[in-house]
Amino acid sequence: MLTVATGNKAVATAVKQACPSVVAAYPITPQTEIVEQIAEFVTSGELKSQYIPVESEHSAMAACIGASVTGVRTFTATSSHGLHYMHEMVNWAAGARLPIVMANVNRALGPGWNIWAEHTDAFQERDTGWLQVYVGSVQEAYDATLMAFRIAEHESVLLPVMVNLDGFLLSHSMHPLQTVEIGDFIPPIRLPHAIDTAHPMGYGTLTGPDQYFRLRWDIERSMRDSVGVIRETEREFAKRFGRRYDAVEEYRCEDAEVVVVAMGTLGKEAEVAVDLLREEGVPAGSMRIRWLRPFPRLDLSGRDVVAIDRDYSFGFGGVIARSLAATEGAKPFSVIAGLGGQEVTYDDIAGFVRSRRPGEEYWFGVMPDV
Amino acid sequence: MTDIPREEYILKCTSACAGCSDSLTLRYVLKAAGPETVLVVPACCTSVIQGIYPNTAMNIPVYNVAFAAAAACASGMSAAFQAAGRKTNVIVYAGDGGTVDIGIQALSGAFERGTDFLYICYDNEAYGNTGMQRSGATPAGARTTTTPGGKAQTKKDLDAIVAAHNPPYMATACASYPKDLFSKVQKALSIRGPKFIHVLSPCPPGWRYSSEKSVEMGKLAVRSGMWILYEREFGKVTINRPSKAAMIRPVPIEEYLEPQGRFKGISPEALAMLRSVAERNAERLKREEEGIC
Ligand SMILES: Cc1ncc(C[n+]2csc(CCOP(=O)(O)OP(=O)(O)O)c2C)c(N)n1
Ligand code: SF4
Ligand SMILES: [Mg+2]
């Protein structure tokens, strides 16, 4: 069905269709509408979930953990400070192998208080064992949320999935949304280690180095297996509903001599910049990284790379730029842009490409123009 | 009693909503505290009403801190002032959510440790900053964006929780009674150790009444017995005059609820819950005042 929705509404609608047994959440700008929508669905009876209005995000994730380990589907949503307040439990959810799905509306971290888009919040959770997908449109927020449940709950994954959408740019902007009849796209959840009084087990028991090490390796094995599960799920989604996704969305890359690599809405903006550059005769292309974990492979060989980071790892660099250097041996022109909701247009991005200096780092709006 | 001074520490350029009693309360609090004061503010409407960097509507230092962290941050600040031999008031100014929900652990810790500070909870009975979701302090029957059918649970008894820590001074107040509020802040600051003031803060957009009615709403809360003004000094409870009067001749609770959109269509069960909470609080305070606990 074709409707119009904000990114938040799109997520809430997908959650309604996935019908988790338990939703525990805490409000925070710009995620609040997700929580409010779900509360409304539950109150009106459209969604038959237990909705727990917890007193903090730490408790939101803890409640999801407690629910999930009984073998039911769970969902929560948060943003920036909320995500970081639940950090301990974010690690716990992955370590406990619980397929919780969480929407995170990307927002900058204080001080000073800033409610606008930035990716640093979720990037700081990248080593927790969660799968992370970043969307570029309202439609994709909906589609990715539906797929997240199927991927997280897949028997060879059983890891939590975080769906990231840019604060305000997606969470609050109204776009057309094509909803689908999901049918049996998300199979019933089956958690092999669900609590069962007929088969009592210890959960999270004191664990020595040997066994602990094995459990960590097991997380990584599932993370690697998730690459195939994601691909299979995205193909099945395309087959059933007609919309195709990949770990990396390439745009006019076949003959590109320079590619812009970016995430979220900046990745979409880059596509417009590519069109502009092509008109000028610059053989440009763009790659929008969707899955940060598991981190995808990119075909960058022999091309100039302009990496745009809406995040920063202090004392190290832009996380995307440094990741491309580590995984692909790239020497990107590393642009730091959009922090705290800074506006970055396709014109700006085209400018980065025109005046790129491979191997250097440039802070847009702070350093003199290149 | 001293007159309320003319000095203003919260300037005219705040970004508060019209009729906001959070900012009205803060105005009197700061007049009572004076310039040798640092305010510690967790995420709440007060983080917003200060205005946008590099400007500020505040004429004293305000330390903005994370949502759950205010009381713990104040503990550190108070200890540091003590180490430096400085007599600076440390006042936490927090919303109800930052107090009864996410901040309750830090609050309890600071009161148990005996931090020398004043904790003020201005209570608009919901999460104002994020657009009026329920909090633990939302009363039964009130509609918020996360309780569209009216809240099913009663308001968390914050004062009983704080009282369990046995602080040297705690009180309730409301900016509709400015002299009472002013003198309670002054009294609190004259005592060493952890002090607490719980201030009812009517909020026009959140409670859905028209913005010129904030002072009246506070008065109706007190007159109907839905909010009781009292002090607890070194364990001794005194019910203040306006509430004494209300206990003898209360206005009906409906007069307080009726102008508020959030209570529109309240169920008889929720109304009964509100009534019984108000009665229980009054009975308990009366007993405590008489020394029968
Ligand atoms: C860890 C964390 N979670 C959520 C938020 C979002 N948030 C900011 S203020 C607020 C509500 C504050 O409510 P209250 O304490 O009652 O103060 P009020 O806004 O009503 O003045 C929320 C949920 C945040 N800043 N940090
Ligand atoms: S929402 Fe209520 S408490 Fe917050 S600034 Fe507006 S009137 Fe004040
Ligand atoms: Mg509040």
Side-chain angles (χ1 to χ4, degrees):
Chain A
M1 191 175 69
L2 185 64
T3 56
V4 185
T6 61
N8 281 341
K9 179 85 186 282
V11 169
T13 306
V15 170
K16 185 175 77 174
Q17 291 182 272
C19 196
S21 298
V22 177
V23 176
Y26 196 71
I28 179 164
T29 308
Q31 153 269 32
T32 314
E33 190 196 357
I34 299 179
V35 181
E36 293 177 340
Q37 259 305 320
I38 291 176
E40 197 129 353
F41 288 149
V42 171
T43 307
S44 68
E46 280 174 87
L47 172 60
K48 302 240 172 311
S49 297
Q50 293 283 332
Y51 170 72
I52 315 177
V54 281
E55 75 292 346
S56 78
E57 290 84 357
H58 194 274
S59 298
M61 188 50 70
C64 284
I65 287 169
S68 179
V69 76
T70 72
V72 303
R73 183 168 295 154
T74 55
F75 174 81
T76 187
T78 191
S79 173
S80 67
H81 284 264
L83 180 62
H84 286 215
Y85 196 65
M86 66 166 66
H87 173 69
E88 181 185 25
M89 294 289 104
V90 170
N91 277 280
W92 198 280
R97 307 305 305 263
L98 299 173
I100 297 164
V101 172
M102 167 159 67
N104 180 63
V105 184
N106 301 105
R107 160 187 155 179
L109 296 156
W113 287 122
N114 176 300
I115 52 174
W116 294 284
E118 190 180 315
H119 291 156
T120 311
D121 61 350
F123 276 30
Q124 287 190 13
E125 300 297 321
R126 68 187 180 271
D127 299 336
T128 54
W130 282 63
L131 279 66
Q132 288 197 3
V133 62
Y134 291 71
V135 305
S137 68
V138 166
Q139 182 67 56
E140 195 182 340
Y142 170 83
D143 295 346
T145 306
L146 285 178
M147 285 188 267
F149 286 101
R150 175 164 160 151
I151 294 165
E153 293 169 8
H154 192 282
E155 60 180 356
S156 12
V157 179
L158 292 176
L159 284 171
V161 176
M162 193 188 300
V163 178
N164 288 278
L165 56 153
D166 286 339
F168 293 100
L169 299 169
L170 287 180
S171 66
H172 284 65
S173 50
M174 288 274 224
H175 290 281
L177 172 69
Q178 186 82 51
T179 60
V180 300
E181 294 289 335
I182 57 166
D184 60 358
F185 178 70
I186 310 173
I189 185 168
R190 214 195 69 76
L191 187 72
H193 53 290
I195 283 186
D196 179 0
T197 48
H199 301 281
M201 290 194 286
Y203 292 80
T205 319
L206 185 65
T207 307
D210 285 1
Q211 292 300 322
Y212 183 86
F213 220 105
R214 275 174 216 284
L215 292 170
R216 292 284 117 174
W217 166 234
D218 210 48
I219 295 177
E220 175 55 17
R221 254 193 353 211
S222 300
M223 191 56 94
R224 291 179 192 184
D225 288 347
S226 75
V227 176
V229 175
I230 292 169
R231 195 181 309 122
E232 183 273 323
T233 304
E234 288 172 348
R235 287 209 179 128
E236 180 65 20
F237 191 89
K239 205 168 93 196
R240 291 193 188 207
F241 309 122
R243 286 186 294 275
R244 267 192 61 89
Y245 295 99
D246 265 309
V248 179
E249 290 287 300
E250 294 196 2
Y251 185 73
R252 302 182 81 167
C253 280
E254 312 77 43
D255 60 339
E257 286 166 23
V258 52
V259 292
V260 181
V261 182
M263 293 179 72
T265 49
L266 278 179
K268 282 284 188 194
E269 197 73 14
E271 294 176 2
V272 186
V274 164
D275 290 342
L276 190 74
L277 289 161
R278 289 264 173 181
E279 274 169 35
E280 292 170 14
V282 183
S286 73
M287 295 184 187
R288 179 167 66 88
I289 297 180
R290 295 183 64 248
W291 289 89
L292 184 73
R293 290 292 181 273
F295 195 76
R297 297 302 309 260
L298 282 76
D299 178 15
L300 300 174
S301 51
R303 295 155 156 177
D304 272 7
V305 177
V306 176
I308 307 178
D309 274 279
R310 180 169 235 148
D311 62 83
Y312 202 71
S313 174
F314 293 108
F316 187 58
V319 172
I320 303 176
R322 304 314 324 142
S323 300
L324 296 179
T327 57
E328 304 296 343
K331 281 200 175 49
F333 176 45
S334 165
V335 180
I336 313 303
L339 303 188
Q342 181 198 42
E343 188 176 339
V344 185
T345 66
Y346 58 84
D347 261 335
D348 298 324
I349 295 173
F352 305 151
V353 172
R354 285 187 210 105
S355 48
R356 63 188 179 276
R357 291 189 306 235
E360 289 189 26
E361 182 178 293
Y362 168 66
W363 284 60
F364 175 56
V366 177
M367 291 178 178
D369 278 354
V370 267
Chain B
M1 188 184 22
T2 40
D3 279 338
I4 298 179
R6 284 179 171 277
E7 283 81 14
E8 298 290 354
Y9 300 98
I10 171 164
L11 307 176
K12 282 183 181 153
C13 47
T14 73
S15 33
C17 314
C20 171
S21 35
D22 157 12
S23 38
L24 187 61
T25 302
L26 187 54
R27 181 165 172 235
Y28 294 123
V29 166
L30 294 179
K31 280 170 179 281
E36 193 52 37
T37 299
V38 180
L39 211 59
V40 179
V41 177
C44 57
C45 278
T46 310
S47 350
V48 179
I49 68 176
Q50 296 160 51
I52 295 184
Y53 175 85
N55 301 311
T56 173
M58 310 298 296
N59 225 353
I60 49 140
V62 178
Y63 196 73
N64 288 289
V65 76
F67 198 16
C73 179
S75 274
M77 197 174 278
S78 169
F81 284 148
Q82 207 165 324
R86 277 173 65 179
K87 289 210 184 324
T88 303
N89 300 317
V90 177
I91 301 182
V92 169
Y93 194 74
D96 48 298
T99 305
V100 308
D101 292 337
I102 201 167
I104 194 122
Q105 170 176 315
L107 172 79
S108 176
F111 274 71
E112 186 272 331
R113 289 187 298 270
T115 293
D116 183 22
F117 78 141
L118 168 60
Y119 192 109
I120 296 178
C121 170
Y122 70 94
D123 187 354
N124 58 6
E125 304 192 316
Y127 296 162
N129 173 298
T130 38
M132 284 296 152
Q133 297 78 34
R134 88 193 280 283
S135 83
T138 303
R143 286 174 203 274
T144 66
T145 58
T146 47
T147 54
K151 192 184 169 203
Q153 302 83 4
T154 52
K155 184 178 172 83
K156 195 189 275 193
D157 193 347
L158 171 63
D159 298 345
I161 296 169
V162 175
H165 296 75
N166 220 1
Y169 183 83
M170 62 179 283
T172 57
C174 178
S176 304
Y177 301 85
K179 287 199 171 171
D180 180 73
L181 168 63
F182 178 85
S183 63
K184 282 171 175 167
V185 173
Q186 280 203 324
K187 194 187 284 182
L189 290 173
S190 70
I191 298 168
R192 269 188 75 85
K195 288 85 58 181
F196 177 77
I197 304 180
H198 189 184
V199 188
L200 185 72
S201 284
C203 162
W207 297 13
R208 296 185 234 153
Y209 62 84
S210 57
S211 55
E212 75 283 0
K213 287 208 175 114
S214 282
V215 171
E216 191 184 326
M217 289 314 309
K219 291 205 161 151
L220 280 171
V222 170
R223 286 182 188 151
S224 62
M226 290 290 287
W227 190 250
I228 304 175
L229 297 174
Y230 72 95
E231 286 166 285
R232 194 169 175 275
E233 293 167 74
F234 300 98
K236 190 178 164 353
V237 169
T238 311
I239 299 170
N240 304 122
R241 271 225 308 276
S243 287
K244 273 263 161 69
M247 282 171 180
I248 298 164
R249 213 175 305 109
V251 305
I253 285 179
E254 288 79 358
E255 267 184 49
Y256 170 61
L257 305 183
E258 205 274 322
Q260 301 182 46
R262 64 176 175 156
F263 288 116
K264 200 162 167 212
I266 187 172
S267 69
E269 298 79 44
L271 188 61
M273 276 159 89
L274 288 179
R275 220 182 278 286
S276 88
V277 169
E279 281 164 10
R280 202 180 57 214
N281 286 345
E283 290 311 317
R284 192 189 63 208
L285 285 167
K286 277 194 256 180
R287 275 203 314 277
E288 283 190 35
E289 190 178 40
E290 288 161 18
I292 321 161
C293 295

